[in-house]
Amino acid sequence: MEAESSATARKSIAVDSPAPGTPDGPGKAPGPAPAPDAPAGADGPARADRPAGPAAVSGRTRSGLLQAAAGVLAFSLTFPATAWGLRGFGPWSLVAVRSVLAAAVAGGCLLALRVPPPARRHRPSLAVVGAGVVLGFPLLTTLALRTSTTAHAAVVVGLLPLTTALLSALRVGARPSRTFWAAALAGAGAVVAFTVQQSGGALTAADGFLFAALLVCAAGYTEGGRLARLMPGWQVIGWALVLCLPVAVPLTAVALAYEPVHPGVHGVAGLLWLAVGSQFVGLVLWYRGMAAVGIPRASQLQLAQPLLTLVWSVLLLGERLTPAAPLTAAAVLVCIAVTQRARG
Protein backbone atom coordinates (compact mmCIF):
# COMPACT_ATOMS: atom_id res chain seq x y z
CA MET A 1 0.00 0.00 0.00
CA GLU A 2 2.79 2.38 0.87
CA ALA A 3 4.55 1.62 -2.41
CA GLU A 4 1.30 2.15 -4.30
CA SER A 5 0.79 5.53 -2.60
CA SER A 6 4.34 6.57 -3.46
CA ALA A 7 3.85 5.63 -7.09
CA THR A 8 0.57 7.54 -7.21
CA ALA A 9 2.24 10.60 -5.72
CA ARG A 10 5.08 10.42 -8.22
CA LYS A 11 2.54 10.11 -11.05
CA SER A 12 0.63 13.12 -9.75
CA ILE A 13 3.80 15.15 -9.55
CA ALA A 14 4.75 14.15 -13.08
CA VAL A 15 1.35 15.25 -14.42
CA ASP A 16 1.26 18.58 -12.56
CA SER A 17 4.83 19.65 -13.44
CA PRO A 18 5.50 20.81 -17.01
CA ALA A 19 8.23 19.10 -18.87
CA PRO A 20 11.56 20.88 -19.24
CA GLY A 21 11.64 23.14 -22.26
CA THR A 22 7.88 23.85 -22.27
CA PRO A 23 6.76 27.50 -22.00
CA ASP A 24 6.22 27.22 -18.25
CA GLY A 25 8.81 24.62 -17.46
CA PRO A 26 12.30 25.00 -15.99
CA GLY A 27 13.83 24.98 -19.47
CA LYS A 28 12.34 28.43 -20.31
CA ALA A 29 11.41 31.39 -18.19
CA PRO A 30 7.83 32.59 -18.40
CA GLY A 31 7.39 35.27 -21.04
CA PRO A 32 6.68 38.84 -20.00
CA ALA A 33 3.10 39.95 -19.61
CA PRO A 34 1.76 42.05 -22.48
CA ALA A 35 2.21 45.77 -21.97
CA PRO A 36 -0.99 47.48 -20.91
CA ASP A 37 -0.65 49.95 -23.79
CA ALA A 38 -0.42 47.25 -26.43
CA PRO A 39 -3.75 46.57 -28.14
CA ALA A 40 -4.93 43.21 -29.26
CA GLY A 41 -2.87 42.08 -32.18
CA ALA A 42 -0.07 44.57 -31.56
CA ASP A 43 2.38 41.88 -30.54
CA GLY A 44 1.23 39.11 -32.82
CA PRO A 45 -1.58 36.57 -32.49
CA ALA A 46 -3.19 35.88 -29.14
CA ARG A 47 -1.68 33.07 -27.10
CA ALA A 48 -3.46 29.76 -27.48
CA ASP A 49 -3.60 29.19 -23.72
CA ARG A 50 -5.29 32.58 -23.14
CA PRO A 51 -7.68 33.32 -25.99
CA ALA A 52 -9.35 36.72 -25.96
CA GLY A 53 -13.03 36.11 -25.31
CA PRO A 54 -15.91 38.30 -26.54
CA ALA A 55 -16.03 40.13 -23.21
CA ALA A 56 -12.32 41.03 -23.42
CA VAL A 57 -12.65 42.20 -27.03
CA SER A 58 -15.74 44.24 -26.14
CA GLY A 59 -13.92 45.80 -23.20
CA ARG A 60 -10.94 46.81 -25.37
CA THR A 61 -13.26 48.24 -28.01
CA ARG A 62 -15.24 50.22 -25.46
CA SER A 63 -12.06 51.56 -23.87
CA GLY A 64 -10.62 52.45 -27.28
CA LEU A 65 -13.77 54.30 -28.32
CA LEU A 66 -13.82 56.25 -25.05
CA GLN A 67 -10.18 57.28 -25.45
CA ALA A 68 -10.72 58.31 -29.08
CA ALA A 69 -13.83 60.27 -28.07
CA ALA A 70 -11.85 62.05 -25.34
CA GLY A 71 -9.27 62.97 -27.96
CA VAL A 72 -12.00 64.38 -30.21
CA LEU A 73 -13.31 66.46 -27.29
CA ALA A 74 -9.82 67.92 -26.81
CA PHE A 75 -9.51 68.60 -30.54
CA SER A 76 -12.89 70.36 -30.64
CA LEU A 77 -11.37 73.14 -28.53
CA THR A 78 -8.44 73.63 -30.90
CA PHE A 79 -10.04 76.23 -33.18
CA PRO A 80 -11.48 78.36 -30.36
CA ALA A 81 -8.11 78.15 -28.57
CA THR A 82 -6.38 79.17 -31.81
CA ALA A 83 -8.70 82.18 -32.13
CA TRP A 84 -7.79 83.14 -28.55
CA GLY A 85 -4.09 82.59 -29.22
CA LEU A 86 -4.18 84.87 -32.28
CA ARG A 87 -5.23 87.72 -30.00
CA GLY A 88 -1.77 87.72 -28.46
CA PHE A 89 0.51 86.06 -31.05
CA GLY A 90 1.09 86.09 -34.78
CA PRO A 91 0.17 82.90 -36.71
CA TRP A 92 3.78 81.72 -37.14
CA SER A 93 4.69 82.53 -33.55
CA LEU A 94 1.64 80.73 -32.21
CA VAL A 95 2.39 77.53 -34.13
CA ALA A 96 6.12 77.56 -33.34
CA VAL A 97 5.77 78.32 -29.63
CA ARG A 98 3.02 75.74 -29.11
CA SER A 99 5.21 73.09 -30.76
CA VAL A 100 8.20 73.92 -28.56
CA LEU A 101 6.10 73.91 -25.37
CA ALA A 102 4.44 70.61 -26.30
CA ALA A 103 7.85 69.10 -27.11
CA ALA A 104 9.16 70.24 -23.71
CA VAL A 105 6.26 68.45 -21.96
CA ALA A 106 6.66 65.31 -24.08
CA GLY A 107 10.45 65.28 -23.78
CA GLY A 108 10.21 65.65 -20.02
CA CYS A 109 7.92 62.62 -19.83
CA LEU A 110 10.21 60.57 -22.06
CA LEU A 111 13.25 61.47 -19.97
CA ALA A 112 11.53 60.89 -16.63
CA LEU A 113 10.42 57.41 -17.69
CA ARG A 114 13.78 56.68 -19.38
CA VAL A 115 12.17 55.68 -22.64
CA PRO A 116 14.79 54.54 -25.17
CA PRO A 117 14.91 56.31 -28.55
CA PRO A 118 12.62 54.88 -31.24
CA ALA A 119 13.96 52.24 -33.59
CA ARG A 120 15.50 53.57 -36.78
CA ARG A 121 12.80 51.90 -38.88
CA HIS A 122 10.10 53.94 -37.09
CA ARG A 123 11.71 57.34 -37.61
CA PRO A 124 10.38 58.00 -41.15
CA SER A 125 6.86 57.36 -39.89
CA LEU A 126 7.45 59.65 -36.90
CA ALA A 127 8.63 62.32 -39.33
CA VAL A 128 5.32 62.02 -41.20
CA VAL A 129 3.44 62.37 -37.90
CA GLY A 130 5.48 65.43 -37.00
CA ALA A 131 5.09 67.08 -40.41
CA GLY A 132 1.35 66.39 -40.43
CA VAL A 133 -0.02 66.94 -36.93
CA VAL A 134 2.77 68.87 -35.16
CA LEU A 135 3.60 71.49 -37.80
CA GLY A 136 1.49 71.20 -40.97
CA PHE A 137 -2.07 71.07 -39.63
CA PRO A 138 -1.56 73.71 -36.90
CA LEU A 139 0.11 76.14 -39.29
CA LEU A 140 -2.40 75.75 -42.14
CA THR A 141 -5.46 76.01 -39.90
CA THR A 142 -3.99 78.99 -38.04
CA LEU A 143 -3.44 80.80 -41.35
CA ALA A 144 -7.03 79.97 -42.34
CA LEU A 145 -8.47 81.29 -39.09
CA ARG A 146 -7.08 84.75 -39.76
CA THR A 147 -9.94 85.27 -42.25
CA SER A 148 -12.34 82.40 -41.49
CA THR A 149 -14.68 81.92 -38.54
CA THR A 150 -14.11 78.94 -36.29
CA ALA A 151 -17.59 77.65 -37.14
CA HIS A 152 -16.83 77.61 -40.87
CA ALA A 153 -13.41 76.04 -40.38
CA ALA A 154 -14.80 73.38 -38.05
CA VAL A 155 -17.40 72.20 -40.56
CA VAL A 156 -14.86 72.09 -43.41
CA VAL A 157 -12.52 70.00 -41.26
CA GLY A 158 -15.46 67.60 -40.87
CA LEU A 159 -14.01 66.02 -44.02
CA LEU A 160 -11.04 64.78 -41.98
CA PRO A 161 -12.61 61.41 -41.02
CA LEU A 162 -13.26 60.50 -44.65
CA THR A 163 -9.79 61.66 -45.70
CA THR A 164 -8.21 59.62 -42.90
CA ALA A 165 -10.26 56.52 -43.81
CA LEU A 166 -9.20 56.81 -47.45
CA LEU A 167 -5.50 57.15 -46.62
CA SER A 168 -5.80 54.31 -44.12
CA ALA A 169 -7.24 52.05 -46.82
CA LEU A 170 -4.28 52.89 -49.06
CA ARG A 171 -1.58 52.77 -46.39
CA VAL A 172 -2.52 49.89 -44.06
CA GLY A 173 -5.00 47.97 -46.18
CA ALA A 174 -8.09 48.69 -44.06
CA ARG A 175 -11.26 47.58 -45.85
CA PRO A 176 -14.41 48.98 -44.21
CA SER A 177 -17.83 47.81 -45.37
CA ARG A 178 -19.98 49.47 -48.05
CA THR A 179 -22.33 50.80 -45.38
CA PHE A 180 -19.38 52.46 -43.69
CA TRP A 181 -18.28 54.15 -46.91
CA ALA A 182 -21.82 55.22 -47.79
CA ALA A 183 -22.27 56.94 -44.42
CA ALA A 184 -18.80 58.51 -44.54
CA LEU A 185 -19.41 59.86 -48.06
CA ALA A 186 -22.80 61.23 -47.01
CA GLY A 187 -21.18 63.11 -44.15
CA ALA A 188 -18.46 64.41 -46.46
CA GLY A 189 -21.06 65.50 -49.02
CA ALA A 190 -22.87 67.51 -46.37
CA VAL A 191 -19.62 69.26 -45.46
CA VAL A 192 -18.80 70.09 -49.10
CA ALA A 193 -22.31 71.45 -49.70
CA PHE A 194 -22.02 73.62 -46.58
CA THR A 195 -18.64 74.97 -47.67
CA VAL A 196 -19.84 75.91 -51.16
CA GLN A 197 -23.02 77.51 -49.79
CA GLN A 198 -21.12 79.54 -47.20
CA SER A 199 -18.58 80.83 -49.73
CA GLY A 200 -21.18 81.83 -52.34
CA GLY A 201 -20.17 79.10 -54.74
CA ALA A 202 -16.45 79.92 -54.79
CA LEU A 203 -13.70 78.66 -52.54
CA THR A 204 -11.67 81.19 -50.58
CA ALA A 205 -7.98 81.23 -49.69
CA ALA A 206 -8.94 80.11 -46.18
CA ASP A 207 -10.72 77.08 -47.67
CA GLY A 208 -7.53 76.27 -49.60
CA PHE A 209 -5.54 76.28 -46.36
CA LEU A 210 -8.18 74.10 -44.69
CA PHE A 211 -8.27 71.49 -47.46
CA ALA A 212 -4.46 71.30 -47.47
CA ALA A 213 -4.60 70.88 -43.70
CA LEU A 214 -6.96 67.93 -44.17
CA LEU A 215 -4.45 66.06 -46.32
CA VAL A 216 -1.40 66.54 -44.10
CA CYS A 217 -3.34 65.80 -40.91
CA ALA A 218 -4.91 62.63 -42.34
CA ALA A 219 -1.44 61.42 -43.33
CA GLY A 220 -0.19 62.09 -39.80
CA TYR A 221 -3.18 60.35 -38.23
CA THR A 222 -2.83 57.30 -40.47
CA GLU A 223 0.89 56.89 -39.85
CA GLY A 224 0.50 57.59 -36.13
CA GLY A 225 -2.36 55.11 -35.80
CA ARG A 226 -0.23 52.45 -37.48
CA LEU A 227 2.73 53.17 -35.18
CA ALA A 228 0.48 53.13 -32.10
CA ARG A 229 -0.01 49.41 -32.71
CA LEU A 230 3.75 48.94 -32.36
CA MET A 231 4.56 51.32 -29.49
CA PRO A 232 2.53 53.14 -26.81
CA GLY A 233 0.48 55.96 -28.29
CA TRP A 234 1.95 58.64 -26.04
CA GLN A 235 5.43 57.76 -27.26
CA VAL A 236 4.33 58.17 -30.87
CA ILE A 237 3.33 61.82 -30.43
CA GLY A 238 6.08 62.37 -27.85
CA TRP A 239 8.88 61.40 -30.20
CA ALA A 240 7.22 63.19 -33.13
CA LEU A 241 7.22 66.41 -31.09
CA VAL A 242 10.84 65.96 -30.06
CA LEU A 243 11.93 65.25 -33.65
CA CYS A 244 10.32 68.54 -34.74
CA LEU A 245 12.40 70.61 -32.31
CA PRO A 246 15.22 71.29 -34.83
CA VAL A 247 12.59 73.03 -36.98
CA ALA A 248 10.39 74.50 -34.26
CA VAL A 249 13.14 76.21 -32.23
CA PRO A 250 14.64 78.28 -35.10
CA LEU A 251 11.12 79.02 -36.36
CA THR A 252 10.19 80.31 -32.91
CA ALA A 253 13.19 82.64 -32.79
CA VAL A 254 12.50 84.08 -36.25
CA ALA A 255 8.74 84.40 -35.77
CA LEU A 256 9.01 86.13 -32.39
CA ALA A 257 11.53 88.57 -33.88
CA TYR A 258 9.20 89.62 -36.72
CA GLU A 259 5.69 89.23 -35.30
CA PRO A 260 4.44 91.46 -32.47
CA VAL A 261 3.44 89.69 -29.25
CA HIS A 262 0.73 91.05 -26.94
CA PRO A 263 0.24 88.31 -24.33
CA GLY A 264 -3.08 88.68 -22.55
CA VAL A 265 -5.25 86.26 -20.59
CA HIS A 266 -6.97 84.85 -23.66
CA GLY A 267 -3.79 84.71 -25.74
CA VAL A 268 -1.84 82.81 -23.10
CA ALA A 269 -4.77 80.51 -22.25
CA GLY A 270 -5.21 79.65 -25.92
CA LEU A 271 -1.49 78.97 -26.34
CA LEU A 272 -1.33 76.71 -23.28
CA TRP A 273 -4.35 74.68 -24.35
CA LEU A 274 -2.95 74.24 -27.85
CA ALA A 275 0.41 73.09 -26.51
CA VAL A 276 -0.75 70.74 -23.75
CA GLY A 277 -4.36 69.84 -24.50
CA SER A 278 -4.53 69.65 -28.30
CA GLN A 279 -0.91 68.94 -29.20
CA PHE A 280 -0.04 66.35 -26.54
CA VAL A 281 -2.81 64.98 -24.29
CA GLY A 282 -5.45 64.92 -27.02
CA LEU A 283 -3.15 63.14 -29.46
CA VAL A 284 -2.07 60.60 -26.83
CA LEU A 285 -5.69 59.61 -26.25
CA TRP A 286 -6.43 59.69 -29.97
CA TYR A 287 -3.60 57.37 -31.00
CA ARG A 288 -4.39 54.92 -28.20
CA GLY A 289 -8.01 54.83 -29.34
CA MET A 290 -7.05 54.28 -32.98
CA ALA A 291 -4.75 51.44 -32.00
CA ALA A 292 -7.55 49.73 -30.10
CA VAL A 293 -10.48 50.05 -32.54
CA GLY A 294 -8.81 50.63 -35.90
CA ILE A 295 -8.08 53.81 -37.83
CA PRO A 296 -11.25 53.96 -40.00
CA ARG A 297 -13.67 53.38 -37.13
CA ALA A 298 -11.95 55.79 -34.75
CA SER A 299 -11.62 58.44 -37.45
CA GLN A 300 -15.39 58.60 -37.92
CA LEU A 301 -15.77 59.79 -34.33
CA GLN A 302 -14.28 63.05 -35.55
CA LEU A 303 -17.49 63.69 -37.44
CA ALA A 304 -18.73 64.94 -34.06
CA GLN A 305 -15.92 67.48 -33.82
CA PRO A 306 -17.62 70.19 -35.95
CA LEU A 307 -20.74 70.07 -33.78
CA LEU A 308 -18.68 70.35 -30.60
CA THR A 309 -16.61 73.20 -32.02
CA LEU A 310 -19.78 75.07 -33.00
CA VAL A 311 -20.88 74.90 -29.37
CA TRP A 312 -17.51 76.19 -28.16
CA SER A 313 -17.48 78.98 -30.77
CA VAL A 314 -20.76 80.30 -29.37
CA LEU A 315 -19.88 79.85 -25.70
CA LEU A 316 -16.25 81.03 -25.80
CA LEU A 317 -16.11 83.40 -28.79
CA GLY A 318 -19.66 84.73 -29.03
CA GLU A 319 -19.96 83.82 -32.71
CA ARG A 320 -23.36 83.74 -34.35
CA LEU A 321 -24.20 80.67 -36.36
CA THR A 322 -25.99 80.55 -39.68
CA PRO A 323 -28.86 78.01 -39.74
CA ALA A 324 -26.83 75.83 -42.13
CA ALA A 325 -23.98 75.28 -39.65
CA PRO A 326 -25.84 73.35 -36.91
CA LEU A 327 -27.98 71.54 -39.51
CA THR A 328 -24.88 70.35 -41.35
CA ALA A 329 -23.17 69.33 -38.13
CA ALA A 330 -26.28 67.41 -37.02
CA ALA A 331 -26.46 65.57 -40.36
CA VAL A 332 -22.81 64.66 -40.01
CA LEU A 333 -23.45 63.44 -36.47
CA VAL A 334 -26.09 61.02 -37.78
CA CYS A 335 -23.48 59.62 -40.14
CA ILE A 336 -21.28 58.82 -37.16
CA ALA A 337 -23.89 56.52 -35.67
CA VAL A 338 -24.11 54.62 -38.96
CA THR A 339 -20.33 54.26 -39.36
CA GLN A 340 -19.96 53.00 -35.80
CA ARG A 341 -22.60 50.33 -36.36
CA ALA A 342 -21.23 49.32 -39.74
CA ARG A 343 -18.88 46.36 -39.79
CA GLY A 344 -15.44 47.36 -40.88
Side-chain angles (χ1 to χ4, degrees):
M1 291 294 291
E2 183 177 347
E4 181 180 350
S5 298
S6 300
T8 304
R10 286 192 297 271
K11 182 179 180 180
S12 174
I13 293 173
V15 170
D16 292 340
S17 301
T22 59
D24 293 318
K28 183 177 180 181
D37 283 331
D43 299 315
R47 289 176 53 181
D49 58 339
R50 286 193 301 178
V57 173
S58 176
R60 282 194 298 270
T61 300
R62 189 180 303 110
S63 175
L65 288 174
L66 287 175
Q67 290 181 84
V72 170
L73 180 61
F75 298 154
S76 70
L77 281 160
T78 299
F79 286 172
T82 300
W84 274 8
L86 286 172
R87 297 181 185 181
F89 300 87
W92 293 88
S93 300
L94 183 62
V95 172
V97 174
R98 71 182 271 189
S99 298
V100 171
L101 290 178
V105 174
C109 294
L110 292 168
L111 284 174
L113 297 176
R114 299 180 180 179
V115 178
R120 186 179 297 273
R121 67 181 183 278
H122 295 327
R123 292 176 188 176
S125 296
L126 288 171
V128 174
V129 175
V133 304
V134 175
L135 297 176
F137 183 79
L139 177 60
L140 290 167
T141 53
T142 300
L143 292 173
L145 285 171
R146 292 184 304 166
T147 57
S148 173
T149 65
T150 59
H152 178 87
V155 177
V156 173
V157 174
L159 283 171
L160 184 56
L162 177 62
T163 311
T164 304
L166 286 171
L167 290 184
S168 172
L170 295 173
R171 178 68 177 91
V172 300
R175 294 293 181 268
S177 65
R178 292 181 180 179
T179 302
F180 178 97
W181 284 118
L185 288 170
V191 171
V192 171
F194 169 83
T195 305
V196 174
Q197 184 269 332
Q198 288 290 100
S199 61
L203 297 179
T204 64
D207 290 325
F209 284 130
L210 291 171
F211 284 121
L214 289 175
L215 292 176
V216 298
C217 189
Y221 280 173
T222 299
E223 207 62 29
R226 188 187 68 82
L227 275 182
R229 299 183 66 86
L230 306 174
M231 65 173 66
W234 76 272
Q235 293 183 23
V236 173
I237 186 57
W239 285 118
L241 285 164
V242 170
L243 288 176
C244 286
L245 276 175
V247 176
V249 170
L251 181 60
T252 300
V254 173
L256 290 176
Y258 284 91
E259 291 182 338
V261 175
H262 305 288
V265 174
H266 286 96
V268 173
L271 172 63
L272 291 177
W273 176 259
L274 291 172
V276 180
S278 298
Q279 196 86 66
F280 185 61
V281 175
L283 284 169
V284 168
L285 294 169
W286 179 241
Y287 284 135
R288 286 173 62 95
M290 281 199 294
V293 302
I295 298 172
R297 188 174 184 188
S299 70
Q300 297 311 298
L301 288 174
Q302 278 201 307
L303 289 170
Q305 188 171 323
L307 183 60
L308 292 170
T309 300
L310 292 180
V311 173
W312 297 128
S313 68
V314 173
L315 295 178
L316 300 178
L317 304 175
E319 292 185 359
R320 292 189 176 185
L321 305 180
T322 63
L327 289 176
T328 302
V332 167
L333 191 60
V334 171
C335 294
I336 291 183
V338 178
T339 59
Q340 293 306 305
R341 289 180 176 275
R343 182 176 63 85

